[in-house]
Amino acid sequence: MIELRQGTRIWLAAGVTDMRRGFPGLSAQVQTVLSMQPYSGHVFVFRGRRGDTIKILWFDGDGLCLFQKRLERGRFIWPQATSGTVSLTRAQLSMLLEGIDWRRPERTFSPPMAV
């Protein structure tokens, strides 16, 4: 698992991204489209057109890291917006990576009312 420093923000890039892009292309997209710095230490998450692949760009202090995940079944849940960013918590990122709908997680158990 990625060890994120305190204060690290997680940003979803709304819309779709060309998954052929690597370090230079995704870094340029962070700078030009998202108006942020790729070397800030924040985490930037991109989704492909089909929705089954995501890439994560993150600067860990030594260099840029590029992680990619493809779901064998299902799709990654993504915002409907076509531009801009959405901020996630670490828990929401964890759910996203598992293919869970991070927008409305449902609890499997609700405690009974205490009398």
Side-chain angles (χ1 to χ4, degrees):
M1 186 62 191
I2 301 171
E3 184 66 35
L4 299 178
R5 295 185 181 121
Q6 188 68 25
T8 300
R9 302 286 306 267
I10 301 163
W11 298 101
L12 289 185
V16 296
T17 301
D18 183 356
M19 287 290 106
R20 296 174 292 182
R21 291 185 176 197
F23 290 104
L26 293 176
S27 295
Q29 185 171 348
V30 168
Q31 285 181 317
T32 58
V33 177
L34 306 179
S35 300
M36 297 186 188
Q37 292 300 319
Y39 297 102
S40 63
H42 298 303
V43 175
F44 302 96
V45 186
F46 305 90
R47 189 184 89 149
R49 183 166 305 282
R50 291 190 323 210
D52 64 345
T53 304
I54 61 171
K55 284 189 176 181
I56 299 173
L57 186 69
W58 172 56
F59 181 72
D60 67 353
D62 295 324
L64 278 175
C65 301
L66 183 60
F67 302 96
Q68 180 174 350
K69 182 170 184 177
R70 186 187 76 204
L71 291 176
E72 294 301 320
R73 290 178 298 163
R75 305 260 184 266
F76 291 105
I77 304 300
W78 216 248
Q80 295 297 321
T82 58
S83 64
T85 59
V86 175
S87 180
L88 295 184
T89 65
R90 292 177 190 199
Q92 289 172 323
L93 176 61
S94 180
M95 287 186 274
L96 172 71
L97 291 174
E98 295 295 326
I100 299 171
D101 186 351
W102 54 271
R103 300 169 302 175
R104 286 171 279 155
E106 294 182 20
R107 304 233 184 251
T108 58
F109 172 79
S110 60
M113 296 226 7
V115 186

